[in-house]
Amino acid sequence: MLVQKYKDMLSGKSVIRQLSEFATARGQEIGYENVFDYSLGNPSVPVPQDLTFTIIYYATMDTQLAHGYSPSLGITSVREAVAASLEKRFGLPYRKEHIFMASGAAGALAHAFRLVTEPGDEILTFAPFFPEYHPYVDLTGAVLKVVPPDTENFQINFEKFREMLSKKVMAVLINTPNNPSGVVYSEETLQKLADILREKSSEYGHDIYLISDEPYREIVFDGAVAPCVSRYYDNTIMCYSFSKALSLPGERIGYVAVNPNCKDAEVMINMCGQISRGIGHNCPPSLFQLVTARMLDQTADLSVYETNRNILYSELINLGFTCVKPGGTFYIFPKALEEDAKVFCEKALKYDLILVPGDTFGAPGYFRMAYCIDTEKVERSLEALRRFVKEQYS
Amino acid sequence: MLVQKYKDMLSGKSVIRQLSEFATARGQEIGYENVFDYSLGNPSVPVPQDLTFTIIYYATMDTQLAHGYSPSLGITSVREAVAASLEKRFGLPYRKEHIFMASGAAGALAHAFRLVTEPGDEILTFAPFFPEYHPYVDLTGAVLKVVPPDTENFQINFEKFREMLSKKVMAVLINTPNNPSGVVYSEETLQKLADILREKSSEYGHDIYLISDEPYREIVFDGAVAPCVSRYYDNTIMCYSFSKALSLPGERIGYVAVNPNCKDAEVMINMCGQISRGIGHNCPPSLFQLVTARMLDQTADLSVYETNRNILYSELINLGFTCVKPGGTFYIFPKALEEDAKVFCEKALKYDLILVPGDTFGAPGYFRMAYCIDTEKVERSLEALRRFVKEQYS
């Protein structure tokens, strides 16, 4: 008999996916270049040319090295390279024993959740949040609970957080720079979060782990650097993906890095190898382990995202939107011009503007624009945006 | 708190891995070319040259196509190509709706088990069997039970199978051509298996699914072709990996193909996309989806495995071993020359012969040799094999 819980999920279609399908269909009618598709977080800039050369290098040099089995924790030289790079950048004494190579951030998170939660345990995250966290967590048997947003600045609503941080909470999941708000958690936010976690770990007599989902770490604007979450809290499990920084989301390559100051770091990494056996993970692709290990100091040309942020943010403010200025990522999360963001986004479709209502991100009344598209298209979309606001809301 | 079940697994080291580590260490002493390492099933022949060209083609042509997100069921054109190839080869009406692209056979099996079993349900498999099936199944909450071997020919022990096929059994898992025996299930075996499954499905009032793990499907000797399991039983979930046939086990690429005659085939494939969300799967690498879709009619040069089989089989028979002749794969599974195969394999180490005792494969008293190594090394190992047998057992 087929398992009902997965069958039941088939009826609940993802809003983002529906919008993206609409955009594709509309594109077939009027030309996709005329659809202002802000629905998907799919990087639009090409991979660095060095990355292509490195693929060719490994694919032609030694096919058994390039395509052979990886050890279950990842290729040793790759883990060493990742550890050395993290140590250099963040000043924590990472060694290969703290690194587990994973199939993107989704793979990394799948291991992190299973490391520290049993069925029935709670994981807290903060709105606005990436909606896939729900199936990621809930299907493990643990329970994801969402702390309501601090809509002033999309940092953390600490009052609500303290209320919800019960003894059942085994892990707190954060995502900074944040999808969908584009906000980077400040040092002050991270310090305060860490203080509360230490206080409550001690009060409850069990460790509370901080799971830090960092795929947007390298996409930060105005010359800033995102504060390194692990530096604030020893029991941090960093989940990284190369998808966004190197523009290869389809290659499923990332890692888990447990803070070297976490007392169980090495055991946890070894446990990841066991968790893999139960979820069919069995290492990320060998070729992309080798390739990304050579690309640790490079990114794709991410400047287009900052350019797009600048154009969109200033236009939205001019048009009277309330909007927290994104410090990174390729998302912006303004307040809709009417209470129901779903109605707002529905109306925008008439102008071929594909916007995603904030409800599934845990922030009703807001909407997300993913501006990982060509700047030229962002510019062309402004006219549609102006018409939309003028005709519908003035 | 760290999850105990994974922590506990750390103490149980894999026998195969320990032997492989011994081989590596011994290789550092005497040169790896002098260690006759029959421990690992790691393909030894290079990928086809066309595959390397195809990697370069996609990596240089359109990096956003090559490295971008795949839809959650796999890239549409890839699923179409796989379906067309299966239809042509096996005469069943496969369409893309029956294909789910997965991260190798391990990824495919992780989905198959979750499709049809709830915690507490049973899955039966047949000794000798791939020992990783235990964590693969047991960590889902289902229970793997192993039907004892038919040591005459390593087909199926139907008497024991009937005894164990209770109402709690929701799926039967087979692996033909088989690791570790090298045996290919005959048409007669598959027909009888299917008859029993139909009979019992009807008796118990629920479907019993046949999960067919087929990574060795293309490695068959003597000009034979492995019978297509799906042709015998409608409720078959085929789990395929390109790892062995194309020599790219590190790239994690394969698929689930549900028999088009299974009444729920399309629903099951859609369910796979939901299961993925809970286990961090999120598609196999895009590049290798595209590449393997162009390589469906090719394999690496697999003839070396048949050559090795011939050399080893005839030498083992000459030396007085009892041994079923492998019809495929790159494994052979002879009876040890004393009752305890662990002691036998331990003694072999003195001759730098790395053999794996059959206990973990569910067949104590036997041992496995993985002969996916250079033929030249197989030939050099014969002298050590002869000395071992002569000095220890005559």
Side-chain angles (χ1 to χ4, degrees), chain A residues 242-313:
Chain A
F242 293 97
S243 294
K244 313 291 178 175
L246 287 173
S247 284
L248 35 64
E251 307 306 359
R252 317 308 310 140
I253 175 78
Y255 55 81
V256 172
V258 178
N259 190 332
N261 296 324
C262 171
K263 68 179 190 306
D264 294 315
E266 292 187 32
V267 172
M268 289 164 73
I269 292 299
N270 285 320
M271 285 170 69
C272 284
Q274 302 303 323
I275 292 168
S276 287
R277 301 165 84 186
I279 58 175
H281 181 270
N282 254 19
C283 320
S286 292
L287 178 64
F288 285 98
Q289 288 191 53
L290 295 165
V291 167
T292 49
R294 297 265 185 143
M295 299 295 296
L296 295 170
D297 296 327
Q298 288 194 51
T299 66
D301 176 9
L302 306 172
S303 64
V304 59
Y305 304 135
E306 183 160 356
T307 305
N308 293 353
R309 191 266 327 238
N310 291 339
I311 296 168
L312 277 176
Y313 178 73

Side-chain angles (χ1 to χ4, degrees), chain A residues 22 50 65 91 121 135 173 177 219 225 320 338 341:
Chain A
F22 174 89
D50 276 1
L65 171 69
D121 290 344
L173 168 62
I219 312 180
V225 170
E338 62 183 292

Side-chain angles (χ1 to χ4, degrees), chain A residues 66-67 114 132 250-251 277-278, chain B residues 66-67 114 132 250-251 277-278:
Chain A
H67 307 306
R114 285 164 175 82
E132 280 297 292
E251 307 306 359
R277 301 165 84 186
Chain B
H67 308 305
R114 285 166 175 82
E132 280 298 293
E251 306 306 359
R277 301 165 83 187

Side-chain angles (χ1 to χ4, degrees), chain A residues 122-138:
Chain A
E122 288 182 11
I123 297 179
L124 292 188
T125 196
F126 303 97
F129 72 106
F130 178 48
E132 280 297 292
Y133 288 163
H134 260 304
Y136 287 6
V137 171
D138 296 346

Side-chain angles (χ1 to χ4, degrees), chain A residues 1-4 6-7 9-10 17 41-44 46-47 52 55-56 59-60 63-64 66-69 72 106-107 110 114-118 132 135-136 139 206-207 209 244 247-252 264 267-268 270-271 274-275 277-280 282-288, chain B residues 1-4 6-7 9-10 17 41-44 46-47 52 55-56 59-60 63-64 66-69 72 106-107 110 114-118 132 135-136 139 206-207 209 244 247-252 264 267-268 270-271 274-275 277-280 282-288:
Chain A
M1 283 181 313
L2 302 185
V3 172
Q4 199 60 37
Y6 296 117
K7 220 169 164 179
M9 289 171 76
L10 295 177
R17 186 143 304 201
N42 214 346
S44 59
V47 301
T52 303
I55 290 173
I56 296 172
T60 51
T63 73
Q64 272 162 286
H67 307 306
Y69 276 117
S72 56
R114 285 164 175 82
L115 272 174
V116 298
T117 63
E118 306 262 13
E132 280 297 292
Y136 287 6
L139 289 171
H206 65 74
D207 293 321
Y209 289 89
K244 313 291 178 175
S247 284
L248 35 64
E251 307 306 359
R252 317 308 310 140
D264 294 315
V267 172
M268 289 164 73
N270 285 320
M271 285 170 69
Q274 302 303 323
I275 292 168
R277 301 165 84 186
I279 58 175
N282 254 19
C283 320
S286 292
L287 178 64
F288 285 98
Chain B
M1 283 180 313
L2 303 183
V3 172
Q4 198 60 38
Y6 297 116
K7 219 169 164 179
M9 288 172 77
L10 296 177
R17 185 143 303 200
N42 213 348
S44 60
V47 301
T52 303
I55 290 173
I56 295 172
T60 51
T63 73
Q64 272 162 285
H67 308 305
Y69 276 117
S72 56
R114 285 166 175 82
L115 272 175
V116 298
T117 64
E118 305 262 12
E132 280 298 293
Y136 286 6
L139 288 171
H206 65 75
D207 292 321
Y209 288 89
K244 314 292 178 175
S247 285
L248 35 65
E251 306 306 359
R252 318 308 309 141
D264 294 314
V267 172
M268 289 164 73
N270 285 321
M271 285 170 70
Q274 302 302 324
I275 291 169
R277 301 165 83 187
I279 59 175
N282 253 20
C283 320
S286 293
L287 179 65
F288 285 99

